[in-house]
Amino acid sequence: MTATDQRLATSSAPVRGAVDMTHGAGGRAMADLIRDVFQKHFNNDYLAQGNDGALLGKVHGRLVMATDAHVVSPLFFPGGDIGALAVHGTINDVAMMGARPLWLSASFILEEGFSLAALEKIVVSMALAAREAGVPVVTGDTKVVEKGKGDGVFISTTGIGVLADETDVSGSNARPGNAIIVSGTMGDHGVAILSKRENLDFETEITSDSQPLHNLVAAMLAAAPGVRVMRDPTRGGLSATLNEIAQQSKAGMVIREADVPVKPEVAAACELLGLDPLNIANEGKLVAICEAADAQVLLAVMQAHPKGRDAAVIGEVIADRHALVRMQTRLGGMRVVDWIAGEQLPRIC
């Protein structure tokens, strides 16, 4: 039994039935849905204010805000679901700026006919993820669309965090000579989604890496305040992320294929399906770029953290006016790591 299922089992009777248009009409049915599903599980002092927005506390530092929409299919997958993913994804977007996430908002678009029991399971998972991360959902909204106009549920989340004045983490900060580090194995989330969607069976179940990274980021910045860049390699995977940073920083990069960590089962699945692990999404990993002198200290801190055990130095930033990303292959050759062409795996986050 998953943590979400245990939480549902120990709560009061779950809601029954399905979403209908009255749940979005602003009347009693909508009020009941908000009370019986959202307030019941997200319960916190901010929501208890009962207003159209949340009155937040004072903060010391600069504010960071990030927003994300989640349209993953299927809604439930090995290692997670759309609810936990929505929390983790936005927390990580705030954390990649070097900020400490403080609050989340959530907006739900529900399709008429969607199971209320499935909705509650998603909300329970989302609430559990928010509580475990220490980042509450403080305000939200719900809309309902006609049957056939949606796909069960879409979730948009916005996060607000605070950034210390001395912290400067940006995709434009990479400089020649800097080291490139990843916090763990590549491709886990995208392959987990694909295996569920296509009913593929592997000898070892591949699970999503969906998890919040803000505590890992805090440990990294405490050990190496000079970290220049952090980014989570979600859609487009590692290749898209490195190309984004290269373009922002106007510098090139060289990575080593042998040093990029990929689980054997993920590598086998990619080989079977003709996919490149560098192009596949992750939802619980980060890329960090730092001064070469700080690389081993930073690596040790990451590997000592439960969310960075498989961290590895995979390459370095170089001077290149074309801002290309290249990879030294296991055979000793060199190839360009380009942006993905088209969409390998739609609806993965």
Side-chain angles (χ1 to χ4, degrees), residues 274-290:
L275 301 175
D276 185 342
L278 300 186
N279 293 334
I280 297 179
N282 313 270
E283 288 293 344
K285 306 289 165 50
L286 63 81
V287 177
I289 296 179
C290 67

Side-chain angles (χ1 to χ4, degrees), residues 116-310:
L116 287 172
L119 175 62
E120 185 174 28
K121 186 173 181 179
I122 289 167
V123 172
V124 168
S125 175
M126 198 170 179
L128 182 62
R131 287 197 176 91
E132 288 178 344
V135 186
V137 176
V138 300
T139 188
D141 187 44
T142 304
K143 294 291 188 293
V144 177
V145 298
E146 297 88 346
K147 191 172 183 63
K149 298 291 182 67
D151 191 12
V153 57
F154 298 148
I155 304 175
S156 293
T157 43
T158 296
I160 296 177
V162 62
L163 181 67
D165 288 336
E166 65 273 12
T167 302
D168 178 22
V169 176
S170 169
S172 62
N173 287 346
R175 297 292 182 269
N178 290 169
I180 304 170
I181 305 175
V182 295
S183 65
T185 53
M186 296 289 102
D188 298 357
H189 176 73
V191 174
I193 292 289
L194 185 63
S195 68
K196 183 69 172 179
R197 186 184 296 165
E198 303 298 336
N199 294 316
L200 299 175
D201 291 323
F202 301 105
E203 290 185 6
T204 302
E205 183 178 56
I206 299 170
T207 60
S208 170
D209 59 352
S210 180
Q211 61 180 348
L213 297 172
H214 56 307
N215 291 330
L216 172 62
V217 168
M220 292 167 60
L221 291 175
V227 172
R228 291 182 171 274
V229 182
M230 284 187 291
R231 191 71 56 85
D232 53 337
T234 54
R235 282 176 299 175
L238 182 63
S239 61
T241 297
L242 293 181
N243 274 284
E244 287 173 2
I245 297 169
Q247 292 293 325
Q248 282 183 266
S249 294
K250 298 178 173 57
M253 298 183 186
V254 174
I255 62 173
R256 296 173 293 275
E257 183 178 19
D259 291 335
V260 177
V262 179
K263 290 179 179 176
E265 56 268 34
V266 171
C270 288
E271 184 174 358
L272 175 67
L273 299 168
L275 301 175
D276 185 342
L278 300 186
N279 293 334
I280 297 179
N282 313 270
E283 288 293 344
K285 306 289 165 50
L286 63 81
V287 177
I289 296 179
C290 67
E291 295 285 353
D294 294 334
Q296 291 306 312
V297 170
L298 188 61
L299 183 65
V301 168
M302 294 171 73
Q303 291 177 339
H305 194 281
K307 295 177 180 178
R309 290 195 185 101
D310 296 318

